[in-house]
Amino acid sequence: MAAPTEPGPCYLGWDFSTQQLKVIAVDEQLRVIHENNINFDKDLPEFGTQGGVCVHNDRLTVTSPVLMWAKALDMILEKMKSDGFDFSRVKALSGAGQQHGSVYWKEGANCILQSLSPDLPLHQSLKSCFSLSNSPVWMDSSTTTQCCFLEKAVGGAQKLADVTGSRAYERFTGNQIAKIYSQNPEVYTQTERISLVSSFAASLFLGAYAPIDYSDVKFGNVKLCWSAAKSSGMNLLQIREKVWNPACLDACAPALGKKLGHPAPSSKILGSISPYYIQRFGFNSGCKVVAFTGDNPASLAGIRLAEGDIAISLGTSDTLFLWIKEPKPALEGHILCSPVDPQAYMALLCYKNGSLMREKIRDELASGSWEEFSKALTSTAVGNDGNVGFYFDVMEIIPEAVGIHRFNTHNNRIPIFPKEVEIRALIEGQFMSKRIHSEKLGYKIFHGICEAVLQHHISMPTTRILATGGASCNKAILQVLSDVFSAPVYTIDTANSACLGSAYRAIHGLVEETSVSLTDVVKLAPEPRLVATPMAGVAQVYQPLLKRYMELEQQVLNRPK
Ligand code: ADP
Ligand code: XUL
């Protein structure tokens, strides 16, 4: 009888996202062998968050308690331990964090991080480590004053975009830091180090301050136009040289460069795991911590985006990524370097009203049930008999509008839709916006083999839409996505692509020095699966509807707030 084989090494990918802390373990063959999560609202009710965040009275300030993230890490590791997860198998780990959010470490915190007692849970040891207990997150839009100041200080919005890859945006970390400095200078003075959520999470594993990674702050080397900065970023990094820009730093707060530390490439091995995890959970002392990055770049690594594909993440935020070979300065949308192909770029569009908006309508009209919501969606006709809606519970990024706006087939505003019409208007509207704005970026969707292709014997791939994020498990929603884009929709086995991508990045971190690319590492991963194809005749329905949606969007934008 053959001796039982020793379980081989595995790799962990973490995602410190808006609503949850999630983890995936993969083995050497990239098979998922463990998945776990902590939901901040449900599992940590003592922090009083809704959707993982606290919206302040001004409705613009949005924060999350930093100790909640530390306590969640404790909890999930305990959960894994009681599920029998063998931490000694973990050869490397990496992770992702919601982008833009920032953490403020108090003077002396690094010493505490370096000497954590294995007898205490993390959040207890770290209690006095933060000069700011509530971290600003990506949903915050309270820094308009700081944005105006920064743009003026560096010579205008375009100049700022030329240098940092984007004009000033409220959620971008530099502007968040500037607000803290101007409103609470004593907090700023007490701060020894400022981390992004991603580098904060890496610091917890490392037991020392981890650097901010490039891809969380880096943009493509192109000149970007007004809406170029809708995604990851800080408004602080000189994109070409990958160093902090002195003028931007000075405009935000004094001695900021020192508090940020030097940025590092996202494939860098930062060191070995802190002894705390070895003693408390049985990690191997050789386990490496690979730099953590933003959730969006991590997702791209997880879903195996290839040339010509569009990826849509339907998480707390909805984000859309387009593969771009030759970015043009006139592009609308944010450009970042592809984490998969060094020759390629990604355009990224970010929408604030994603899953939480869908949940709100589900709770109001479908008794909080996705099943009932989906039934209503499938019971209505493609094109919703001409009824169109815009659903922005919070100020949207694309377009910058707020409120709910409903129009009937004659383009007249109406106050209310029947339940089923409302649900379809929400989902169709969300996807029509994504299609219109991706086409504005110059993106062309290829619908199968067209005549010109046949005549010239050119092989042209049909555009694939790769869907991920929490709502990508909903077939009814994915069918509408497929219909609106007239393209097939694919998913991977897990909706947690940021975790999966992080696990792949952990493996890549170990082999990067031997010049193995991430694409090579990911080759073993299963191909995405087809889940929806466009129904017959949908293109004819959506062609005029998309045009109307675009015109109505102008009306919504021009309406006085
Ligand atoms: P994040 O990573 O930003 O925390 P996720 O990608 O995990 O978010 O997505 C969470 C969201 O997924 C929830 O807010 C929920 O609305 C949505 N979701 C979960 N299941 C479904 C479903 N069956 N249909 C539609 N949306 C769903
Ligand atoms: C991207 C953005 C969000 C967050 C949260 O610019 O703000 O997608 O990363 O997921």
Side-chain angles (χ1 to χ4, degrees):
M1 203 170 77
T5 47
E6 282 284 301
C10 71
Y11 305 85
L12 292 181
W14 298 88
D15 182 14
F16 285 69
S17 78
T18 315
Q19 304 191 56
Q20 304 155 70
L21 170 58
K22 301 176 256 190
V23 65
I24 278 182
V26 301
D27 65 12
E28 300 258 84
Q29 283 72 45
L30 305 190
R31 290 179 301 224
V32 174
I33 56 166
H34 185 88
E35 263 189 274
N36 226 316
N37 80 307
I38 293 290
N39 181 291
F40 301 134
D41 296 359
K42 284 198 204 106
D43 298 322
L44 292 162
E46 63 273 33
F47 291 97
T49 56
Q50 270 193 325
V53 303
C54 304
V55 179
H56 295 225
N57 288 340
D58 63 1
R59 310 282 312 151
L60 298 172
T61 307
V62 186
T63 59
S64 291
V66 62
L67 280 176
M68 176 181 80
W69 293 327
K71 195 165 180 182
L73 178 55
D74 255 321
M75 245 177 147
I76 202 166
L77 288 166
E78 287 293 353
K79 239 174 123 184
M80 291 168 80
K81 194 166 144 186
S82 62
D83 289 350
F85 184 80
D86 179 1
F87 291 100
S88 71
R89 290 174 63 189
V90 183
K91 212 166 158 188
L93 62 86
S94 186
Q98 51 166 298
Q99 295 185 253
H100 318 293
S102 44
V103 170
Y104 299 78
W105 299 93
K106 212 189 227 160
E107 202 72 55
N110 204 29
C111 293
I112 300 178
L113 257 182
Q114 283 169 346
S115 51
L116 294 171
S117 157
D119 302 327
L120 288 178
L122 259 185
H123 70 281
Q124 268 189 35
S125 299
L126 297 179
K127 240 182 355 222
S128 59
C129 278
F130 304 99
S131 44
L132 195 69
S133 45
N134 294 310
S135 284
V137 297
W138 68 276
M139 292 162 108
D140 186 285
S141 37
S142 66
T143 64
T144 309
T145 313
Q146 287 73 26
C147 288
C148 295
F149 183 81
L150 177 61
E151 287 184 349
K152 218 164 149 200
V154 300
Q158 185 60 59
K159 185 79 203 298
L160 182 63
D162 291 346
V163 176
T164 70
S166 76
R167 59 164 289 186
Y169 281 91
E170 277 81 357
R171 68 191 194 287
F172 277 39
T173 324
N175 307 307
Q176 294 292 339
I177 296 170
K179 178 184 154 195
I180 286 160
Y181 170 65
S182 71
Q183 296 186 352
N184 291 304
E186 67 294 346
V187 163
Y188 184 77
T189 312
Q190 285 167 18
T191 301
E192 177 173 84
R193 181 71 173 236
I194 301 173
S195 295
L196 294 180
V197 176
S198 51
S199 58
F200 154 77
S203 308
L204 295 183
F205 286 105
L206 200 59
Y209 294 149
I212 290 172
D213 82 298
Y214 290 156
S215 74
D216 221 10
V217 288
K218 177 170 79 171
F219 306 107
N221 55 353
V222 288
K223 208 167 116 194
L224 299 154
C225 62
W226 69 272
S227 63
K230 308 292 191 191
S231 74
S232 65
M234 299 174 80
N235 275 146
L236 294 176
L237 196 85
Q238 238 163 262
I239 51 169
R240 286 174 190 82
E241 297 79 10
K242 295 163 199 156
V243 293
W244 304 122
N245 177 267
C248 296
L249 292 177
D250 288 350
C252 289
L256 182 52
K258 191 162 173 269
K259 291 185 201 270
L260 291 171
H262 294 293
S266 55
S267 56
K268 188 178 161 102
I269 295 178
L270 303 180
S272 297
I273 195 161
S274 149
Y276 176 80
Y277 303 89
I278 302 167
Q279 290 156 19
R280 214 168 140 212
F281 299 101
F283 273 89
N284 193 300
S285 59
C287 170
K288 299 291 181 228
V289 178
V290 174
F292 282 36
T293 190
D295 54 356
N296 291 307
S299 259
L300 290 182
I303 51 182
R304 301 196 52 181
L305 196 78
E307 188 169 357
D309 290 342
I310 297 183
I312 296 189
S313 167
L314 304 168
T316 310
S317 62
D318 280 356
T319 46
L320 189 132
F321 315 92
L322 309 167
W323 178 288
I324 294 194
K325 235 2 199 206
E326 286 165 26
K328 296 185 186 74
L331 289 180
E332 182 197 53
H334 183 64
I335 309 292
L336 59 150
C337 295
S338 164
V340 182
D341 177 350
Q343 306 307 321
Y345 295 85
M346 310 302 317
L348 196 152
L349 301 173
C350 176
Y351 292 81
K352 277 192 184 168
N353 294 279
S355 278
L356 298 180
M357 187 68 240
R358 290 186 285 274
E359 265 177 39
K360 192 164 189 233
I361 298 287
R362 177 203 66 181
D363 294 344
E364 282 168 13
L365 301 178
S367 340
S369 149
W370 285 123
E371 215 183 314
E372 198 178 320
F373 182 97
S374 308
K375 232 184 231 165
L377 185 58
T378 14
S379 73
T380 41
V382 167
N384 215 9
D385 294 323
N387 295 299
V388 172
F390 297 79
Y391 296 80
F392 308 133
D393 193 33
V394 293
M395 176 64 82
E396 190 45 275
I397 303 170
I398 313 161
E400 279 181 84
V402 72
I404 295 186
H405 310 265
R406 302 177 185 87
F407 298 88
N408 66 14
T409 189
H410 307 296
N411 293 344
N412 296 325
R413 277 185 178 272
I414 52 167
I416 193 161
F417 280 150
K419 166 183 160 177
E420 288 78 7
V421 176
E422 178 92 325
I423 289 174
R424 179 163 280 274
L426 164 70
I427 302 298
E428 281 190 343
Q430 288 187 328
F431 292 142
M432 282 199 282
S433 173
K434 289 175 182 65
R435 173 148 183 199
I436 287 165
H437 288 281
S438 57
E439 286 182 350
K440 267 196 184 173
L441 286 174
Y443 199 81
K444 290 224 168 30
I445 294 157
F446 296 110
H447 308 293
I449 311 289
C450 65
E451 212 171 306
V453 173
L454 284 176
Q455 272 175 18
H456 297 99
H457 307 286
I458 313 164
S459 87
M460 186 95 82
T462 304
T463 296
R464 293 190 311 173
I465 300 175
L466 301 178
T468 180
S472 69
C473 65
N474 187 317
K475 290 257 165 67
I477 291 179
L478 297 187
Q479 184 59 53
V480 180
L481 173 61
S482 175
D483 291 340
V484 169
F485 275 78
S486 276
V489 175
Y490 292 74
T491 57
I492 52 169
D493 283 338
T494 171
N496 298 333
S497 52
C499 283
L500 200 62
S502 297
Y504 297 164
R505 290 183 49 258
I507 303 175
H508 180 227
L510 293 188
V511 294
E512 208 250 343
E513 276 178 2
T514 57
S515 70
V516 175
S517 71
L518 184 61
T519 319
D520 290 334
V521 168
V522 172
K523 267 185 189 142
L524 264 183
E527 279 291 335
R529 276 180 300 107
L530 180 67
V531 285
T533 47
M535 293 196 283
V538 285
Q540 284 82 337
V541 176
Y542 284 115
Q543 231 164 18
L545 208 59
L546 284 160
K547 190 166 166 283
R548 270 187 61 219
Y549 186 94
M550 211 161 19
E551 288 158 7
L552 292 170
E553 189 182 90
Q554 277 311 310
Q555 270 197 44
V556 168
L557 262 174
N558 296 338
R559 192 179 167 89
K561 301 203 170 96

